[in-house]
């Protein structure tokens, strides 16, 4: 059921991208704001309680619906899993930016590419060169791919195998959302309220990050991926993101990171990867890397499914 649900959800997203996902984020922002407004006293304890309540309600609801539908007929439970994945997973949540930036660079429309990247990041990119635009775009795509696809798939499959239905996809995306809303806030202003959200997300990311990086090594340049992962990931400001970026850079044979200027201010970043400077051709290579990695995950899930059926 897991494999068929994933394939169906991916096909649905490619054929009919969800155009109204932004409204889900608006609703989710209001939902999370309720707990922040009523529980945030700047203390770790309140943050832990708010996180558990905010996460717990949707998880209980999803599990209950799954078992009710499973009791009615397995096909209903399968359709529900596809719906959950369709709402939480996919490339099309960010791929339109990537595709448009890639095309703009190929057409030598640097100002257009800068504008699109700025919209995507929410920061001015007007000072970036052609190579820097390609570099930052590849970085953002690698991170978004992990968070929107591989992280969701990992927890979906794990909890589906435990018989809990599609709750893993909801758990991961809510943990990511709460970390972005609470865990990344300035502690001087936000207190310790967001500390638990940050810790919980880091715990949930430990295995998926390494599975994604290992997959990049398998489907890309193995030696360079392992080298960059081991020697460069820790130098990134966020070492967890550094694992994805360093392994992706090594797999592609491209240089990422390095100091850039955003919002007219220098942003000092470690150098990641080995090989050549990023350009539009490497952006195309990054797309190939991601799709090979996804096919590899689906193939491994197929083997697990066959082994389960035979065993």
């Amino acid at each position: 059921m897991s494999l068929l649900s994933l394939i169906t959800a991916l096909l649905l997203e490619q054929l009919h991208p969800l155009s109204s996902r932004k409204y889900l984020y608006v609703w989710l922002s209001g939902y999370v704001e309720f707990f922040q407004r009523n529980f945030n006293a700047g203390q770790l304890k309140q943050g832990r309680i708010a996180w558990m309540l905010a996460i717990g309600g949707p998880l209980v609801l999803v599990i209950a619906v799954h078992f009710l539908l499973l009791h009615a007929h397995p096909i209903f439970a399968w359709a529900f899993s596809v719906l959950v994945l369709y709402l939480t997973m996919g490339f099309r949540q960010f791929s339109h930016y990537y595709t448009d930036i890639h095309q703009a660079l190929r057409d030598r429309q640097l100002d257009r590419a800068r504008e699109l990247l700025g919209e995507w990041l929410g920061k001015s990119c007007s000072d970036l060169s052609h190579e820097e635009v390609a570099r930052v775009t590849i970085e953002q795509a690698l991170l978004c791919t992990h968070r929107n696809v591989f992280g969701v798939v990992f927890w979906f499959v794990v909890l589906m195998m435990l018989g809990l239905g599609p709750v893993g996809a909801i758990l991961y995306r809510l943990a990511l959302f709460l970390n972005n809303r609470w865990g990344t806030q300035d502690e001087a202003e936000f207190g310790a309220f967001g500390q638990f959200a940050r810790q919980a997300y880091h715990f949930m990311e430990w295995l998926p990050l390494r599975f994604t990086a290992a997959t990049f090594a398998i489907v890309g340049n193995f030696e360079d991926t392992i080298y960059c992962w081991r020697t460069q990931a820790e130098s990134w400001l966020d070492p967890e993101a550094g694992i994805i970026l360093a392994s992706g850079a090594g797999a592609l044979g491209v240089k990422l990171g390095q100091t850039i200027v955003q919002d007219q201010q220098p942003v000092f970043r470690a150098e990641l990867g080995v090989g050549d400077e990023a350009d539009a051709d490497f952006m195309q290579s990054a797309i190939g890397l991601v799709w090979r990695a996804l096919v590899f995950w689906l193939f491994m899930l197929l083997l697990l499914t066959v082994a389960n059926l035979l065993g």
Side-chain angles (χ1 to χ4, degrees), residues 207-225:
L207 268 178
L209 281 171
R210 286 155 178 80
F211 267 73
T212 300
T215 305
F216 286 164
I218 293 170
V219 302
N221 186 314
F222 185 88
E223 292 184 0
D224 286 349
T225 302

Side-chain angles (χ1 to χ4, degrees), residues 86-157:
Y86 182 61
L87 295 174
T88 58
M89 179 196 70
F91 295 105
R92 301 300 287 270
Q93 299 178 43
F94 63 90
S95 64
H96 60 287
Y97 277 119
Y98 191 88
T99 301
D100 292 345
I101 294 170
H102 183 212
Q103 188 60 50
L105 289 180
R106 285 204 174 280
D107 294 341
R108 301 186 181 278
Q109 298 177 352
L110 180 56
D111 289 339
R112 175 60 176 163
R114 289 167 172 168
E115 179 184 352
L116 290 166
L117 182 58
E119 291 178 8
W120 190 7
L121 299 179
K123 301 177 181 178
S124 173
C125 297
S126 58
D127 296 314
L128 299 187
S129 66
H130 182 284
E131 291 77 13
E132 289 170 339
V133 169
R135 190 190 312 154
V136 175
T137 303
I138 292 172
E139 293 167 5
Q140 186 69 4
L142 291 174
L143 291 174
C144 287
T145 296
H146 171 74
R147 293 165 180 166
N148 292 341
V149 181
F150 294 119
V152 177
V153 171
F154 179 89
W155 283 109
F156 170 79
V157 171

Side-chain angles (χ1 to χ4, degrees), residues 39 45 63 106 121 140 174 243 256 294:
F39 288 90
K45 180 179 180 180
I63 293 174
R106 285 204 174 280
L121 299 179
Q140 186 69 4
L174 280 177
I243 292 175
L256 300 178
L294 179 61

Side-chain angles (χ1 to χ4, degrees), residues 257-280:
Q258 306 176 47
T259 299
I260 59 174
V261 176
Q262 285 185 319
D263 290 331
Q264 300 181 342
Q265 295 291 330
V267 179
F268 300 100
R269 313 180 318 154
E271 181 175 312
L272 302 176
V274 293
D276 299 323
E277 292 293 336
D279 57 18

